[in-house]
Amino acid sequence: MTKDQLRFDDRVAIVTGAGGGLGRAYALLLASRGAHVVVNDVDRKDDTGRTPAAAVAAEIAELGGSAVAHDGSIAEPSAGPAVVDTAMQAFGRVDIVVNNAGIVRDRSFGKMSDQDIKDVLDVHLHGTIGLTRAAWAVLRERQYGRVVMTTSVAGLWGNLGQANYSAAKAGLVGLGRTLAVEGARYGIRVNLISPGAATAMTSGMLPEHLHERMSPDRVAPMVAYLCHESCTLTGEILFAAAGRYARNLIIETAGYENPDATVEDIAAHLPDILDTTSWTVPAQAVQLPPG
């Protein structure tokens, strides 16, 4: 351990979808830095009879860390309170919530079924709302919290065949930025990660030669930073993929001003409206003092 290493000693973190891929990378990194981790994933046993969450919790324990498993889809209406209860029973508190669980049901919009839409919204959006709401009271009472939500390039910029997924991921941007405002007075910081990684959900879409370069381990440091007590960011959207880290922004151009504008005026001044030479970040995310 280096002298200036950012640690999570005695902090309690919940990570959803942590039985593999990105969630596993987050859970392992947080645990390696001293956090107690609640590993959540679906209740599906492998050939050894273990669930994905149990396997990762055992892996953490073998490495000298502290973790418990919570089996069950975060999409279930009772899942959020149940996961928080697991954390409270095992460790007596919650400090960090990483909403990572996700699925895809990709189809063109015209062929997308009601079930395709419901399944994706239930995991990404409703699951995140349910868990975060269940943890919110604990975080408020403690006057401290770090919450990470997962958006996507599909949610920010759109992607062919992912109307359901994109809608869920865009919804999380509004949720996360609103909770950043509401949580500020309680010492709760809420940020969003837009990750790119080769996982079970995405590896089939990525060329084989990119799998190592796009390891989940190269996203985990950004997420861990957002979970740390020294992080004062809130309401931000951060991108992480293949060792590149960046800030995503929602901007407003200087635009065109005319209180008496007609339809024809809009048409004539459309270049001014779209011009990105000058722009601002409305209601820009704030940096708050530590605490």
Side-chain angles (χ1 to χ4, degrees), residues 30-99:
L30 291 170
S32 74
R33 298 292 183 104
H36 305 289
V37 182
V38 178
V39 182
N40 165 252
D41 214 314
V42 293
D43 188 3
R44 184 185 302 125
K45 292 181 173 61
D46 61 18
D47 294 339
T48 69
R50 287 199 301 194
T51 62
V56 172
E59 184 179 3
I60 288 171
E62 289 167 5
L63 293 169
S66 172
V68 295
H70 182 98
D71 300 318
S73 171
I74 202 64
E76 296 299 323
S78 61
V83 175
V84 171
D85 187 57
T86 293
M88 297 300 290
Q89 289 190 28
F91 305 118
R93 59 195 277 184
V94 176
D95 300 293
I96 297 163
V97 178
V98 181
N99 293 286

Side-chain angles (χ1 to χ4, degrees), residues 101-214:
I103 62 170
V104 290
R105 298 288 186 270
D106 293 353
R107 284 177 179 78
S108 64
F109 188 53
K111 296 180 180 179
M112 193 169 285
S113 69
D114 290 345
Q115 195 64 47
D116 292 331
I117 296 170
K118 181 179 184 302
D119 287 348
V120 171
L121 291 177
D122 281 351
V123 173
H124 292 274
L125 185 58
H126 298 152
T128 295
I129 291 173
L131 174 58
T132 305
R133 187 166 60 173
W136 200 253
V138 180
L139 302 179
R140 278 186 53 172
E141 183 178 355
R142 292 183 53 78
Q143 295 284 295
Y144 177 86
R146 296 292 182 267
V147 178
V148 178
M149 298 181 179
T150 306
T151 186
S152 165
V153 292
L156 295 171
W157 320 122
N159 195 34
L160 181 68
Q162 291 193 311
N164 49 1
Y165 180 80
S166 299
K169 291 306 191 185
L172 288 169
V173 173
L175 174 65
R177 291 173 73 91
T178 296
L179 292 187
V181 174
E182 292 191 12
R185 71 185 71 176
Y186 305 110
I188 304 171
R189 315 292 193 244
V190 183
N191 291 287
L192 294 115
I193 184 73
S194 177
T199 67
M201 192 172 81
T202 64
S203 60
M205 310 174 198
L206 296 171
E208 185 71 31
H209 72 276
L210 290 180
H211 286 194
E212 182 178 353
R213 181 181 172 190
M214 296 192 67

